[in-house]
Amino acid sequence: MMQRPPFRPEEYSLKETRPHLGGHAAGDKLTSTYDLVEQMQYLYVRVVKAKELPNMDITGGCDPYVEVKLGNYKGTTRFFEKNNNPEWNQVFAFSKERIQSSVVEIVVKDKDLVKDDFIGRVVFDLNEVPKRVPPDSPLAPQWYRMEDRHGHKVKGELMLAVWMGTQADEAFPEAWHSDAASVPGDGLASIRSKVYLTPKLWYLRVNVIEAQDLIPNDKTRFPEVYVKAMLGNQVLRTRVSASRTLNPMWNEDLMFVAAEPFEEHLMLSVEDRVAPGKDEVIGRTTISLQHVPRRLDHRLLTSQWYNLEKHVMIDGEQKKETKFSSRIHLRICLEGGYHVLDESTHYSSDLRPTAKPLWKPSIGILELGILTAQGLLPMKTKDGRGTTDAYCVAKYGQKWVRTRTIIDSFTPKWNEQYTWEVYDPCTVITIGVFDNCHLNGGEKANGARDTRIGKVRIRLSTLETDRVYTHSYPLIVLTPAGVKKMGEVQLAVRFTCSSLLNMMHLYSQPLLPKMHYVHPLSVMQVDNLRRQATNIVSTRLGRAEPPLRKEIVEYMLDVDSHMWSMRKSKANFFRIMGVLSPLIAVAKWFDQICHWRNPLTTILIHVLFVILVLYPELILPTIFLYLFLIGVWYYRWRPRQPPHMDTRLSHAETAHPDELDEEFDTFPTSRPPDIVRMRYDRLRSVAGRIQTVVGDLATQGERLQSLLSWRDPRATALFVVFCFIAAIVLYVTPFRVVVFLAGLYVLRHPRFRHKMPSVPLNFFRRLPARTDSML
């Protein structure tokens, strides 16, 4: 087995950077509108159309296309057959840092079988090209007379616009880029930057109340009836009705996820379970979601009866039976008061309810500059060498963004900036980096999956307002071979708050909308609905152009976060221990006080104790003052950087290879039986320890119950007599005296202590528990 490289924490740490953001040249308008990225200069050529082109073919006419040449770079438009006045309206962008020529040449050619014919050209000197920076209006295209290779005017004109601009230009996202010259035409769509919006998701509640006048096929038996509901790929069933009659009742809720526009219909069928594994349809109905009422709170809506249609087989074809009087009683509504969870609740990016009238005003703006990546590893092999075609995806709220793909670069420079409205600071933005495996077009790359390079999460509540954070984040992925650093991505983030008062007020509000607390969903319902919402989002985004593919969406939404992992279980256990460690430390410190390890400290604690007993009104002010002083003291060491993926916290670097292999196993498992048996035995061993701890906790609780249960009559009699005597003593003794004496007893000197357990502890351990009755 190959030895794992030594773990070096500095490789996985966050690094602060100082990029040249926004181009700080005097008078540059870019600094106010696109100021979280580095300026990248481009030469833009917009080829609009041509007119009066000469006939080049023997049969007359020509098949024109345009070739834009700048040094070694060459971009071409599509060609038109037999068209002397073609219109292309295509934009070409050439990176200024790669320009190795002083002129740009726009050539019109005639497509031919053997050799394309030269029609004419227009040449521009780059020193005379105007500069344009948004928000300047776009440069208006002009007609240019074409000339031949010797500079003589020829027939035909070309409408063009040529200018120097930056990545802030409106033409940038749709432009052909010189660094993508090797990408074939059918793959160009997959490398462009794009903004996506997830569909508006609703919870659909179907309250199945009852059915009437059912006509089962077999009238000699009482029917076992249930209702099956389908919405797209989602299928839910009610339980079998307890009233085995022709008028069954259920009063059961079925919850679905529906997406606008409502293209799918809700289909319900009443079915009779005639035998195990054999069901017969008694009647069906189809309901369009366009006409379903929408509710914003928990008030009940009016229910409605729907007629059931019976489908009978006539000559091998399904036909509706016209004389059929059965009907079903339903209460259906689209729930606007819930937030449809499509991502893990631990790092949600949006918590608003579905219905827009319930939205509260935004509290600020989140700006993200995706700058560069450094040290990316080769993700695939092309022409015998490693290569990476990287792009970024960022997700916050309903808005997803995708940067353009930088071809064949381990240090890609995107320098793209995006903006989101923020409605809650306790939300998370997720940025993922991926390798594009679809540069050859959809058909040639059929079955290929874009490879994940790494992911970054940033919680907005950890950011100071109006500060620009520029850091290089490690891109870390977990593979079956162990944790692996794939490179670093450099980001610039700024959270601007429009109303500090509104943001502070949000900290007193519930995290989720009101309906989640007034009419809560079960844990199982939330998990099932989240899975359905994720499927809908990935399907819709996968139909966009360029598509945001399923593997990308699932990775960004952490679809597999609920799967079992020994590594995660260990990490969560040590997280709990990290939370409990301060309490354990306080308990150890108090034990040292009680045993007089440091006599001076113990005496001071005695003095403080006496003061608090004499003046109990100082107890709460003292506690809160102490917490205030701790908070002020820790302000000096407050975190200056946003959190990032922590391999040590995740126990990624110490995980055993077999544990990682188990984590990456499919569900259900695809491993050989002997490995599955070994893992099952290991899981039984771990579960056995957990079972013992849970049993011990149950035993202590049952001993408390047995104090008054008379299960041990002598122990209960002793406890009852003790309680009676204690009630009399505490009644006649002032409370301060009791507390004072109890405190002195707890803090007594070791000379008055015994190594044997105390009397109350001995008594408690002798109490009976129900372990005697366990098999």
Side-chain angles (χ1 to χ4, degrees):
M1 184 179 292
M2 190 171 64
Q3 190 175 5
R4 187 180 297 179
F7 174 68
R8 291 187 293 274
E10 64 275 4
E11 287 188 8
Y12 301 95
S13 61
L14 197 66
K15 299 170 186 172
E16 190 164 4
T17 58
R18 297 188 179 278
H20 188 68
L21 298 183
H24 297 286
D28 197 338
K29 296 179 183 177
L30 191 65
T31 55
S32 61
T33 57
Y34 219 62
D35 58 346
L36 288 187
V37 292
E38 296 179 337
Q39 265 198 31
M40 297 176 70
Q41 297 289 334
Y42 287 89
L43 171 70
Y44 289 97
V45 178
R46 180 185 293 277
V47 180
V48 183
K49 55 185 175 181
K51 65 178 181 181
E52 299 176 3
L53 296 180
N55 295 330
M56 304 297 294
D57 298 338
I58 301 174
T59 57
C62 66
D63 307 322
Y65 70 92
V66 174
E67 190 176 82
V68 182
K69 297 171 66 177
L70 183 65
N72 296 326
Y73 294 105
K74 180 173 66 176
T76 58
T77 66
R78 61 191 180 278
F79 79 94
F80 292 94
E81 289 189 19
K82 307 299 181 185
N83 192 335
N84 294 69
N85 300 286
E87 187 169 334
W88 295 282
N89 202 22
Q90 286 182 243
V91 181
F92 299 83
F94 299 87
S95 175
K96 186 179 180 181
E97 64 180 21
R98 297 189 182 183
I99 292 178
Q100 298 176 344
S101 175
S102 60
V103 295
V104 58
E105 188 178 358
I106 300 100
V107 182
V108 182
K109 292 188 175 182
D110 174 46
K111 191 78 172 176
D112 210 340
L113 292 174
V114 182
K115 184 181 179 183
D116 297 344
D117 298 324
F118 175 89
I119 298 177
R121 68 176 184 177
V122 178
V123 179
F124 289 91
D125 188 336
L126 296 187
N127 294 322
E128 298 177 2
V129 171
K131 184 178 181 181
R132 183 230 167 194
V133 179
D136 289 353
S137 299
L139 198 67
Q142 298 181 35
W143 287 105
Y144 293 89
R145 186 77 178 270
M146 293 193 299
E147 55 187 37
D148 59 17
R149 289 193 172 93
H150 304 291
H152 304 302
K153 299 297 182 183
V154 296
K155 184 182 179 183
E157 293 184 67
L158 195 57
M159 180 179 277
L160 301 169
V162 182
W163 71 96
M164 293 296 298
T166 66
Q167 73 270 36
D169 204 290
E170 295 89 346
F172 181 79
E174 298 299 326
W176 174 94
H177 289 270
S178 55
D179 56 4
S182 60
V183 179
D186 56 352
L188 283 176
S190 68
I191 67 170
R192 292 198 173 107
S193 57
K194 199 75 174 179
V195 175
Y196 306 84
L197 290 176
T198 54
K200 192 173 185 179
L201 301 178
W202 295 76
Y203 284 148
L204 174 68
R205 187 186 297 273
V206 181
N207 180 219
V208 183
I209 303 172
E210 59 181 330
Q212 281 187 357
D213 304 327
L214 298 182
I215 306 175
N217 296 329
D218 184 2
K219 298 182 175 60
T220 61
R221 52 179 286 278
F222 291 109
E224 298 182 21
V225 184
Y226 67 91
V227 176
K228 183 171 78 172
M230 293 179 59
L231 182 68
N233 297 325
Q234 306 171 64
V235 181
L236 294 176
R237 294 175 175 82
T238 66
R239 66 186 185 281
V240 174
S241 175
S243 55
R244 298 178 62 183
T245 65
L246 300 180
N247 301 301
M249 297 188 67
W250 295 277
N251 197 23
E252 191 171 336
D253 277 355
L254 304 177
M255 296 288 289
F256 297 89
V257 179
E260 292 186 5
F262 301 119
E263 301 167 347
E264 296 162 336
H265 288 70
L266 175 66
M267 293 182 285
L268 294 108
S269 60
V270 180
E271 302 189 8
D272 180 14
R273 183 161 294 163
V274 295
K278 184 181 179 184
D279 303 320
E280 290 182 355
V281 177
I282 297 177
R284 290 192 180 100
T285 187
T286 302
I287 300 166
S288 171
L289 299 189
Q290 301 283 358
H291 310 298
V292 170
R294 307 177 181 189
R295 73 170 183 176
L296 307 183
D297 51 29
H298 60 284
R299 286 178 290 185
L300 283 179
L301 299 175
T302 54
S303 56
Q304 192 172 343
W305 288 94
Y306 294 87
N307 291 324
L308 293 171
E309 299 169 347
K310 184 149 187 178
H311 293 256
V312 294
M313 299 296 291
I314 301 176
D315 298 331
E317 293 184 7
Q318 267 201 0
K319 294 188 178 179
K320 294 179 186 176
E321 190 175 296
T322 52
K323 295 180 180 179
F324 193 66
S325 59
S326 300
R327 57 182 188 161
I328 187 169
H329 192 195
L330 305 171
R331 183 181 285 112
I332 307 177
C333 66
L334 289 163
E335 298 278 13
Y338 290 92
H339 169 69
V340 179
L341 294 162
D342 61 347
E343 49 196 345
S344 174
T345 50
H346 297 297
Y347 17 81
S348 291
S349 62
D350 189 13
L351 302 167
R352 293 171 294 168
T354 299
K356 201 167 184 179
L358 299 179
W359 291 3
K360 294 176 182 176
S362 65
I363 60 160
I365 296 293
L366 171 66
E367 296 167 280
L368 172 69
I370 303 174
L371 304 176
T372 65
Q374 300 290 332
L376 296 185
L377 299 181
M379 303 301 297
K380 55 180 177 284
T381 304
K382 184 178 179 182
D383 300 330
R385 62 181 183 85
T387 181
T388 299
D389 308 310
Y391 66 93
C392 281
V393 175
K395 195 263 182 196
Y396 184 79
Q398 294 182 327
K399 180 179 172 182
W400 298 62
V401 299
R402 170 182 175 149
T403 68
R404 71 192 188 284
T405 300
I406 305 299
I407 308 299
D408 192 14
S409 175
F410 300 133
T411 57
K413 293 184 179 180
W414 294 287
N415 283 305
E416 298 183 27
Q417 183 171 336
Y418 299 96
T419 305
W420 288 266
E421 278 190 299
V422 177
Y423 292 86
D424 195 309
C426 301
T427 46
V428 175
I429 181 172
T430 305
I431 304 102
V433 184
F434 303 90
D435 176 53
N436 196 332
C437 296
H438 295 83
L439 300 183
N440 293 323
E443 295 180 3
K444 295 179 184 176
N446 190 25
R449 292 167 61 89
D450 288 357
T451 313
R452 58 184 71 167
I453 298 177
K455 181 166 57 179
V456 174
R457 296 193 201 100
I458 302 173
R459 184 171 290 273
L460 271 60
S461 58
T462 63
L463 304 178
E464 298 176 14
T465 53
D466 299 315
R467 175 185 164 187
V468 178
Y469 288 83
T470 54
H471 291 90
S472 187
Y473 294 80
L475 295 171
I476 304 168
V477 295
L478 196 63
T479 67
V483 67
K484 191 174 184 180
K485 182 179 177 182
M486 310 297 288
E488 296 178 359
V489 62
Q490 189 176 343
L491 305 174
V493 184
R494 178 171 56 208
F495 173 39
T496 308
C497 177
S498 56
S499 172
L500 184 62
L501 192 63
N502 286 346
M503 185 169 70
M504 293 301 186
H505 174 66
L506 275 176
Y507 279 87
S508 67
Q509 300 300 302
L511 198 62
L512 291 168
K514 181 179 177 181
M515 282 292 286
H516 287 269
Y517 307 98
V518 176
H519 202 167
L521 303 172
S522 68
V523 175
M524 189 171 291
Q525 276 182 320
V526 169
D527 286 342
N528 291 334
L529 291 170
R530 184 195 164 202
R531 187 167 61 251
Q532 298 298 341
T534 304
N535 287 338
I536 291 173
V537 170
S538 61
T539 302
R540 290 288 181 91
L541 294 180
R543 295 200 308 225
E545 187 59 45
L548 207 55
R549 301 183 186 277
K550 184 177 181 180
E551 63 269 20
I552 307 300
V553 176
E554 289 183 348
Y555 181 57
M556 297 288 287
L557 295 180
D558 286 282
V559 169
D560 298 329
S561 60
H562 65 285
M563 297 297 289
W564 159 257
S565 164
M566 183 71 79
R567 174 189 61 83
K568 288 182 183 177
S569 301
K570 286 181 182 177
N572 288 332
F573 172 77
F574 283 103
R575 284 173 62 201
I576 292 174
M577 295 307 297
V579 171
L580 296 178
S581 59
L583 300 177
I584 297 171
V586 169
K588 289 180 178 178
W589 172 79
F590 187 71
D591 184 66
Q592 291 176 353
I593 295 294
C594 294
H595 287 83
W596 293 67
R597 300 285 168 79
N598 188 335
L600 180 61
T601 307
T602 304
I603 291 171
L604 290 174
I605 292 297
H606 274 80
V607 173
L608 177 63
F609 173 70
V610 171
I611 293 172
L612 293 179
V613 168
L614 294 176
Y615 304 98
E617 64 274 8
L618 294 177
I619 294 175
L620 288 178
T622 302
I623 292 173
F624 284 108
L625 179 62
Y626 179 65
L627 295 175
F628 167 76
L629 293 175
I630 290 176
V632 172
W633 178 257
Y634 281 162
Y635 181 77
R636 296 168 58 192
W637 297 283
R638 67 190 184 278
R640 300 282 183 169
Q641 299 174 338
H644 63 286
M645 298 293 184
D646 192 334
T647 54
R648 192 181 294 277
L649 177 70
S650 308
H651 277 251
E653 72 277 1
T654 59
H656 191 273
D658 184 67
E659 293 174 2
L660 293 175
D661 184 68
E662 181 183 22
E663 185 171 341
F664 283 90
D665 191 8
T666 56
F667 189 86
T669 182
S670 57
R671 298 297 184 263
D674 54 337
I675 293 180
V676 176
R677 188 180 300 113
M678 181 269 293
R679 290 173 180 170
Y680 174 64
D681 290 340
R682 181 177 62 198
L683 193 59
R684 287 175 65 192
S685 174
V686 174
R689 295 186 200 126
I690 296 172
Q691 173 183 287
T692 303
V693 173
V694 172
D696 289 342
L697 291 174
T699 298
Q700 308 311 320
E702 288 168 355
R703 283 174 176 167
L704 278 174
Q705 291 177 337
S706 66
L707 282 171
L708 295 170
S709 69
W710 295 92
R711 171 55 61 187
D712 183 342
R714 284 165 295 277
T716 303
L718 284 171
F719 183 68
V720 168
V721 171
F722 168 77
C723 290
F724 180 71
I725 296 172
I728 295 173
V729 171
L730 292 174
Y731 179 74
V732 299
T733 308
F735 182 69
R736 289 184 183 179
V737 174
V738 174
V739 174
F740 179 72
L741 293 175
L744 289 181
Y745 176 76
V746 171
L747 296 171
R748 68 192 184 279
H749 195 274
R751 184 177 300 172
F752 305 106
R753 293 179 183 274
H754 302 285
K755 293 185 178 180
M756 301 301 290
S758 64
V759 173
L761 190 58
N762 291 333
F763 179 79
F764 183 76
R765 286 175 176 172
R766 289 175 176 273
L767 291 170
R770 302 181 69 183
T771 48
D772 310 334
S773 305
M774 292 280 290
L775 289 174

